[in-house]
Amino acid sequence: MNYSFSYRFKVLGLLVFVMGFTISSFSQDTIQTVVAQKGDGILSLLRKQGVNPYDHYDDFISLNIENLRDSIHLYAGRTYRIPSAELDTVAIVDSIQSKTKEIKKIEGKVYPIFGEDYEIVLPKSKLLKGAVYYLVSGHGGPGPGAMATYGGKSIAEDEYAYDITLRLARELLAHGAEVYIIIRDENDGIRDERILEIDHDEVAYPNKTIPLNQVARLKQRVDIVNSLYKKNRGKFQRLIVTHIDSRSVGQNIDVFFYHHEKSRNGKKLAESIHKTFQKKYKKYQPNRTYSGTFEDRTSLYLVKKTHPAMTFIEVGNIKNKKDQRRILEPENRQALAKWISEGVLLDYKLGEIGPIR
């Protein structure tokens, strides 16, 4: 089987206590509320209420948009509405497990690369069945990429680009895609911290040492992707490269998408994700104009040399204080991954345009 990293089937014994929940917990007619505590984020708040944060992230924002700072951050001490959840999507948390009497079984796949807390991926749909995605996060190994300081600690581009890439991979897998994570760190996993510790043990798929020389590093990635592309010839294939820009300290940027100037399918992919971001900003930040663009940029090495239709994404400027909020907050990294995945779904729905490239 052509899976990019090992998995094993796992049947979860999800114990659901049906009788002990209050009516408001999962009723479609009554909305449960909770007061945010200091340090709470959207992900942690939903998780503590037994609601899968990744399935109901957008629902939470829609319910509470008028009570969020920058349309995404909680205010400590304020009351927030929790979206109703199907029992099948309830996360396994201690507060639920301690009250359970009825067993529901959910079949998931285990991908250890996502880390212990996120390794189980439950299926959401088969919308991407038959599609192959190559995900490359910028830099890694001996090259951490752009560097900055936050709260007296060093932060590096490669750690945040990798975390977003893992979250994106998890979303795509949940919709039935075949995913190859090209730059990999087997012991990091998805992390919900603001400050992601820097290390240099990343490797290139399947387990290749990443060269120090920049050109050699890029060529290695091109060779890996093009080899896999040849192996999967005839399938719907896309490449997504994720970077964090390092422009001048004072310049913040929105998310930008680049594609090969001669690739109609690459343009379609970039445009599909870009349109998704425009729609999300209009919905969740109506008072803020989204200035990100999609355009051809064939001068970029990976854009020019790789064979699959692709988009190269810049998610922000790690040296800018405003962009740092977008990058450092785990809720924001999850939102970025979720929105990119929705653009990917749109691209796949639209199908191929002419030649594969």
Side-chain angles (χ1 to χ4, degrees):
M1 291 186 289
N2 294 326
Y3 290 100
S4 55
F5 37 83
S6 64
Y7 70 84
R8 60 188 183 275
F9 283 98
K10 193 170 189 180
V11 177
L12 306 180
L14 178 57
L15 305 176
V16 180
F17 179 68
V18 177
M19 302 302 293
F21 285 115
T22 63
I23 294 175
S24 63
S25 295
F26 295 102
S27 168
Q28 295 298 318
D29 300 321
T30 307
I31 298 293
Q32 180 185 5
T33 61
V34 64
V35 176
Q37 304 300 314
K38 185 177 180 180
D40 276 342
I42 295 175
L43 297 182
S44 60
L45 189 72
L46 289 174
R47 194 178 293 114
K48 285 191 288 188
Q49 299 307 307
V51 176
N52 188 318
Y54 300 107
D55 288 345
H56 295 280
Y57 183 88
D58 287 350
D59 297 333
F60 179 89
I61 293 178
S62 296
L63 284 172
N64 298 282
I65 188 66
E66 301 298 330
N67 207 17
L68 297 170
R69 177 171 55 83
D70 295 333
S71 303
I72 202 165
H73 301 296
L74 305 177
Y75 290 98
R78 292 193 184 181
T79 299
Y80 291 91
R81 295 187 291 175
I82 303 298
S84 298
E86 297 294 331
L87 290 180
D88 281 359
T89 66
V90 176
I92 303 174
V93 293
D94 291 341
S95 61
I96 295 175
Q97 285 180 319
S98 64
K99 301 177 181 179
T100 57
K101 289 184 178 178
E102 182 180 326
I103 296 178
K104 285 185 74 73
K105 293 182 179 179
I106 301 176
E107 186 179 83
K109 295 178 183 178
V110 175
Y111 299 87
I113 196 167
F114 295 135
E116 187 174 334
D117 292 338
Y118 296 98
E119 64 178 5
I120 300 167
V121 179
L122 300 178
K124 294 181 180 179
S125 77
K126 296 182 179 179
L127 293 173
L128 295 178
K129 185 176 182 181
V132 180
Y133 293 92
Y134 310 107
L135 306 185
V136 178
S137 54
H139 303 280
M147 302 283 293
T149 301
Y150 183 87
K153 291 191 175 183
S154 294
I155 54 176
E157 171 184 0
D158 66 328
E159 301 296 340
Y160 293 91
Y162 182 63
D163 190 72
I164 293 168
T165 296
L166 286 185
R167 293 170 187 270
L168 173 60
R170 198 170 184 272
E171 289 291 328
L172 300 182
L173 287 166
H175 289 291
E178 182 177 354
V179 179
Y180 292 84
I181 300 175
I182 304 302
I183 303 304
R184 335 164 43 82
D185 188 327
E186 300 293 343
N187 57 27
D188 272 354
I190 293 173
R191 292 175 281 178
D192 285 336
E193 293 80 35
R194 292 170 56 85
I195 303 298
L196 301 184
E197 296 296 329
I198 300 172
D199 60 28
H200 305 283
D201 59 349
E202 295 86 4
V203 297
Y205 178 87
N207 193 30
K208 298 179 179 179
T209 300
I210 299 174
L212 175 62
N213 178 269
Q214 182 183 11
V215 175
R217 187 164 63 236
L218 295 174
K219 185 178 185 303
Q220 180 189 61
R221 295 169 196 208
V222 167
D223 291 344
I224 292 170
V225 169
N226 288 347
S227 176
L228 290 169
Y229 176 79
K230 183 177 180 180
K231 173 185 173 184
N232 289 303
R233 190 181 300 278
K235 297 181 181 180
F236 183 99
Q237 303 184 61
R238 294 290 187 267
L239 166 64
I240 300 173
V241 180
T242 306
H243 272 258
I244 297 171
D245 204 355
S246 57
R247 305 184 187 197
S248 64
V249 175
Q251 183 178 9
N252 69 302
I253 66 172
D254 270 320
V255 182
F256 287 81
F257 309 94
Y258 302 118
H259 61 86
H260 193 287
E261 62 182 353
K262 295 182 179 180
S263 174
R264 287 184 293 172
N265 284 307
K267 180 180 179 181
K268 179 171 67 69
L269 173 61
E271 187 173 13
S272 296
I273 304 174
H274 178 255
K275 285 182 177 178
T276 300
F277 271 68
Q278 285 182 316
K279 183 175 69 173
K280 296 295 185 180
Y281 269 73
K282 186 176 181 180
K283 180 177 180 179
Y284 297 129
Q285 300 192 44
N287 298 321
R288 183 187 182 289
T289 301
Y290 175 62
S291 59
T293 63
F294 77 96
E295 59 190 71
D296 63 87
R297 194 172 173 185
T298 311
S299 60
L300 294 170
Y301 193 96
L302 264 67
V303 175
K304 184 176 182 179
K305 298 289 187 179
T306 49
H307 294 163
M310 66 92 70
T311 185
F312 185 108
I313 304 175
E314 291 181 352
V315 301
N317 178 3
I318 198 169
K319 294 184 178 181
N320 179 270
K321 295 301 180 184
K322 290 183 179 179
D323 280 4
Q324 283 178 355
R325 288 204 299 268
R326 179 195 308 158
I327 298 163
L328 268 63
E329 291 285 352
E331 287 85 358
N332 292 354
R333 298 198 296 271
Q334 178 60 28
L336 286 168
K338 184 75 159 48
W339 295 359
I340 294 170
S341 73
E342 291 184 22
V344 168
L345 284 164
L346 175 61
D347 170 67
Y348 185 65
K349 182 180 179 180
L350 295 173
E352 298 281 14
I353 302 176
I356 297 297
R357 185 70 168 95

